[in-house]
Amino acid sequence: MASRTVAKDIITLRGSAAIVSEFFGYAANSILYNRGVYPEESFAKVKKYGLPMLLTQDEGVKSFITNLTAQLSEWLEAGKLQRVVMVIMSKATKAVLERWNFSIETDSDVVEKGVSREKSDREIMREIQAIMRQIASSITYLPCLDEPCVFDVLAYTDTDVPVPFTWIESDPKLIANPQMVKLHSFDTKKETQAI
Amino acid sequence: MDPETEFLSSKRQTGNEWELFKENVRPLKRGRNVDLLNHALKARTNDQLKKSLLENRRRLIEAIDEYQGDDPLQPWLDCIKWVQEAFPPGGDFSGLVLIYEQCVRAFWHSDHYKDDLRYLKVWLEYAEHCSDAEVIYCFLDANDIGKTHSAYYIAYALHMESKSKMKAANDILNLGISSNAQPIEKLRDAYKKFLARSMRRPNATEEELKEDDLPVRSFGTVLARGESQRQAIKTFELGRNKLKQDQVHRTPLSIYNDTNMDVTRGHHSKPNTGSNSWHTLGGRAERNKENNAMPAKWTSHKIPQRPVPRIVGAVASAQIEVFVDEECEEKPKVHDEKDRTSSLQLRELDGRNIKKETELLRENPLRNFPSNSLPR
């Protein structure tokens, strides 16, 4: 019995990668909704992380995000992904208006040796919840995006990673003189470790 | 390293006051500087910071007086921008409404600013804070202010739309397009969206409840028939749409008022400004009746008084320590008579009458204007 409960709580890197890439999918949807990149009516509500999350129903966007998260998952499992950035640009001028950075720290031990760490599902979920809430609250200080916008996703990987078929190498699309705000973070490994 | 990467890898944290107190922050269309926002939110509980905020405000107001250059609007804009950042809720105590009012009044007659977009924006922001902005739009129309800009037509039409005056909104947008207001694309776009919205609008009469309203929200739909057509139907103000709209509706709730009852009203019903009632002073007096009403005895409730020990020989002044803003502690400065049509009264403001003035202005935004400036 004891081993069964323990098994449920162990998050392996593979499990970890799945959590992170799934999180990214939901976060991306949340950003698209909250920043008004796509019309409200094109989103549907689902329950996730104990919150009402909105997912796009637009087939194009849906498949884009699905392919994206699959690729991210692959890179994450190999420990090659450093950062993911969601870029919001003006449709007309292609000027970059906002960048949403997701910085990733991979525990190299886990990649190499396959050691598993423990952290409860619930705890991770709480941390993710906090981030989702922050994204939604950011309207407090973000400017209104008055014009039609489009989005794109950039991935910062290790240099030895080949560029997959549906991706291209790109410039970083930075914003000049940005105002930068740090939000919460979550991680899937245990902070303290009993020895 | 680019600034972003550097920021990400640094240990620098951003304060999270903005998230903790988000209900107290009025979103601005242009966005807010997060550090200033966090600072301002901290100041609410920190006297030291509060003092420095007041000090800053005073300096900005002085800058307005002392400006010598040829763009006297600029120091006003700096002051307004700063007050918006420093007083995130932007409520009645920020003095924001008073500053808007003084600013627009200082330049309404000036040809130099008639077509200045910045000046128009101050007017539009002022309008957003008033309970019935229609008087402002009429004023702008009559005085030819801002009519080369799309923003004027868009804001005016949105306002009419919120009052369900679809035909008026339609006419306004068309007028803007035919006058070639700039940027014209934005205006055309707004018109398209307006048409789409009016298609979706049910043709039901305004008194009926809309079924797709969320349960508790039935603003303005439960009024008796025969009341004035000025019912604010919030058909598209559900949830997030509120923020997307260009206007933040400050209309007080329309509370059904049984004319036979003699109740103390918490909120007043919307002012009854007929669109051609500029000649009837009655309109304005009626609008302000709550402010002019004689205080009556409060008979509906009794609050037991706690026995207060009487101190023999107490001084006649208040026993409660009243917080007095720095601005009041000083002796009022004697300004030389400036050659302007309005005197700058901002410096004499203190916490007590900011709120009162703001409320008066909200109800009657043009109350300080000379009557010859009002539309005929």
Side-chain angles (χ1 to χ4, degrees), chain A:
Chain A
M1 185 115 82
S3 60
R4 211 165 18 112
T5 0
V6 167
K8 213 170 46 148
D9 284 352
I10 293 178
I11 309 292
T12 59
L13 177 59
R14 171 159 297 165
S16 203
I19 292 179
V20 173
S21 57
E22 188 185 48
F23 158 76
F24 183 78
Y26 281 91
N29 269 281
S30 178
I31 294 171
L32 292 177
Y33 176 79
N34 280 296
R35 303 309 291 138
V37 181
Y38 292 99
E40 273 184 47
E41 307 86 60
S42 63
F43 288 85
K45 226 183 256 194
V46 304
K47 259 245 150 173
K48 184 77 183 172
Y49 307 126
L51 294 171
M53 300 297 302
L54 287 136
L55 290 181
T56 180
Q57 301 301 294
D58 177 315
E59 287 307 324
V61 182
K62 252 206 289 202
S63 67
F64 179 84
I65 294 186
T66 310
N67 291 334
L68 172 70
T69 49
Q71 180 61 69
L72 291 182
S73 205
E74 206 184 292
W75 280 329
L76 281 166
E77 281 180 35
K80 300 281 187 191
L81 188 61
Q82 296 169 3
R83 211 201 303 178
V84 184
V85 182
M86 187 161 172
V87 179
I88 298 187
M89 302 171 284
S90 150
K91 187 172 190 176
T93 66
K94 298 284 177 290
V96 180
L97 301 173
E98 278 178 21
R99 283 168 65 88
W100 292 80
N101 271 279
F102 295 81
S103 184
I104 313 220
E105 279 172 30
T106 313
D107 190 333
S108 47
D109 274 348
V110 189
V111 182
E112 284 160 33
K113 301 179 214 152
V115 174
S116 53
R117 314 277 181 162
E118 300 168 24
K119 192 168 195 185
S120 73
D121 273 353
R122 186 176 304 166
E123 227 179 302
I124 298 180
M125 190 171 92
R126 255 210 304 267
E127 291 180 356
I128 293 184
Q129 247 187 33
I131 301 180
M132 293 304 191
R133 289 212 173 99
Q134 273 199 323
I135 293 179
S137 310
S138 307
I139 47 176
T140 312
Y141 59 87
L142 286 172
C144 185
L145 294 175
D146 240 344
E147 45 179 326
C149 292
V150 291
F151 80 99
D152 205 350
V153 178
L154 307 171
Y156 289 58
T157 60
D158 288 353
T159 41
D160 55 349
V161 171
V163 179
F165 184 57
T166 47
W167 293 64
I168 51 166
E169 288 210 13
S170 143
D171 68 287
K173 299 193 199 287
L174 294 170
I175 297 179
N177 293 324
Q179 197 201 160
M180 303 181 281
V181 180
K182 244 186 212 173
L183 302 187
H184 292 315
S185 57
F186 81 96
D187 72 70
T188 52
K189 58 187 220 304
K190 206 170 160 172
E191 283 113 332
T192 61
Q193 206 174 355
I195 296 175

Side-chain angles (χ1 to χ4, degrees), chain B residues 76 101-111 119 139 336-345 368-373:
Chain B
W76 282 98
E101 200 262 339
Q102 300 247 355
C103 179
V104 297
R105 193 150 41 91
F107 299 109
W108 73 268
H109 57 284
S110 136
D111 282 333
Y119 181 55
F139 182 91
D336 342 330
E337 276 312 304
K338 300 236 168 148
D339 190 358
R340 285 197 287 185
T341 53
S342 63
S343 58
L344 188 59
Q345 294 160 332
N368 293 323
F369 278 74
S371 48
N372 63 344
S373 67

Side-chain angles (χ1 to χ4, degrees), chain B residues 33-265:
Chain B
N33 178 309
V34 180
D35 292 323
L36 280 179
L37 176 61
N38 285 336
H39 183 92
L41 288 169
K42 273 196 274 254
R44 296 160 79 239
T45 47
N46 181 333
D47 278 341
Q48 193 64 8
L49 290 179
K50 215 184 252 190
K51 261 185 139 189
S52 82
L53 281 184
L54 291 173
E55 180 53 47
N56 261 324
R57 179 166 77 179
R58 187 228 309 270
R59 255 192 295 124
L60 285 164
I61 292 175
E62 271 172 14
I64 294 175
D65 275 345
E66 291 161 9
Y67 184 82
Q68 299 285 1
D70 21 272
D71 187 15
L73 183 60
Q74 188 55 49
W76 282 98
L77 297 176
D78 293 335
C79 184
I80 288 176
K81 188 158 173 224
W82 182 86
V83 173
Q84 283 175 333
E85 307 262 11
F87 293 87
D92 288 2
F93 289 96
S94 64
L96 198 53
V97 174
L98 283 90
I99 299 180
Y100 284 142
E101 200 262 339
Q102 300 247 355
C103 179
V104 297
R105 193 150 41 91
F107 299 109
W108 73 268
H109 57 284
S110 136
D111 282 333
H112 184 38
Y113 288 121
K114 268 207 188 354
D115 284 325
D116 192 318
L117 183 58
R118 306 168 300 164
Y119 181 55
L120 173 66
K121 285 198 171 156
V122 181
W123 270 108
L124 296 180
E125 283 182 26
Y126 185 32
E128 283 180 23
H129 283 77
C130 298
S131 41
D132 186 4
E134 191 165 351
V135 308
I136 294 192
Y137 295 113
C138 290
F139 182 91
L140 292 176
D141 188 16
N143 287 287
D144 265 333
I145 296 174
K147 296 179 83 174
T148 54
H149 297 289
S150 303
Y152 164 73
Y153 298 96
I154 295 176
Y156 194 0
L158 266 175
H159 180 77
M160 297 314 246
E161 193 180 344
S162 72
K163 291 180 170 180
S164 296
K165 294 171 138 190
M166 304 305 275
K167 171 116 194 357
N170 195 345
D171 293 340
I172 290 165
L173 287 169
N174 272 319
L175 178 59
I177 293 178
S178 56
S179 323
N180 202 24
Q182 293 304 316
I184 189 75
E185 275 318 307
K186 204 162 176 202
L187 188 50
R188 280 202 231 273
D189 211 44
Y191 187 43
K192 264 189 254 168
K193 293 201 187 121
F194 163 76
L195 287 177
R197 283 197 299 268
S198 52
M199 292 299 146
R200 270 185 271 145
R201 241 171 191 267
N203 282 326
T205 56
E206 283 144 20
E207 288 96 343
E208 286 174 36
L209 279 170
K210 309 269 187 289
E211 288 90 40
D212 44 302
D213 262 5
L214 298 178
V216 194
R217 304 169 69 121
S218 51
F219 295 120
T221 53
V222 209
L223 292 175
R225 289 168 190 256
E227 279 221 297
S228 80
Q229 282 122 316
R230 212 146 283 106
Q231 296 167 6
I233 311 288
K234 319 254 191 216
T235 46
F236 35 82
E237 272 209 39
L238 304 173
R240 292 176 213 282
N241 268 331
K242 227 190 184 99
L243 293 164
K244 294 238 200 109
Q245 279 208 290
D246 290 341
Q247 287 179 317
V248 172
H249 285 269
R250 293 296 205 130
T251 34
L253 296 175
S254 299
I255 297 175
Y256 176 68
N257 188 6
D258 187 348
T259 46
N260 292 332
M261 282 212 300
D262 182 15
V263 290
T264 37
R265 289 176 291 236

Side-chain angles (χ1 to χ4, degrees), chain B residues 301-365:
Chain B
H301 260 81
K302 266 188 164 358
I303 296 181
Q305 292 276 326
R306 216 182 312 145
V308 173
R310 295 198 175 273
I311 302 169
V312 177
V315 178
S317 62
Q319 298 183 349
I320 311 169
E321 196 212 346
V322 178
F323 175 69
V324 180
D325 277 8
E326 293 183 343
E327 285 137 348
C328 307
E329 281 171 6
E330 311 170 340
K331 267 178 30 133
K333 265 202 231 163
V334 180
H335 341 217
D336 342 330
E337 276 312 304
K338 300 236 168 148
D339 190 358
R340 285 197 287 185
T341 53
S342 63
S343 58
L344 188 59
Q345 294 160 332
L346 285 174
R347 203 173 290 127
E348 284 133 39
L349 292 178
D350 63 25
R352 287 164 290 194
N353 59 29
I354 285 185
K355 186 171 195 315
K356 180 153 201 302
E357 261 306 299
T358 305
E359 282 170 5
L360 291 173
L361 284 173
R362 263 205 231 284
E363 280 311 303
N364 186 1

Side-chain angles (χ1 to χ4, degrees), chain B residues 4-16:
Chain B
E4 193 185 78
T5 313
E6 196 255 317
F7 180 70
L8 278 172
S9 51
S10 78
K11 293 263 176 273
R12 285 196 329 258
Q13 293 296 320
T14 312
N16 63 344

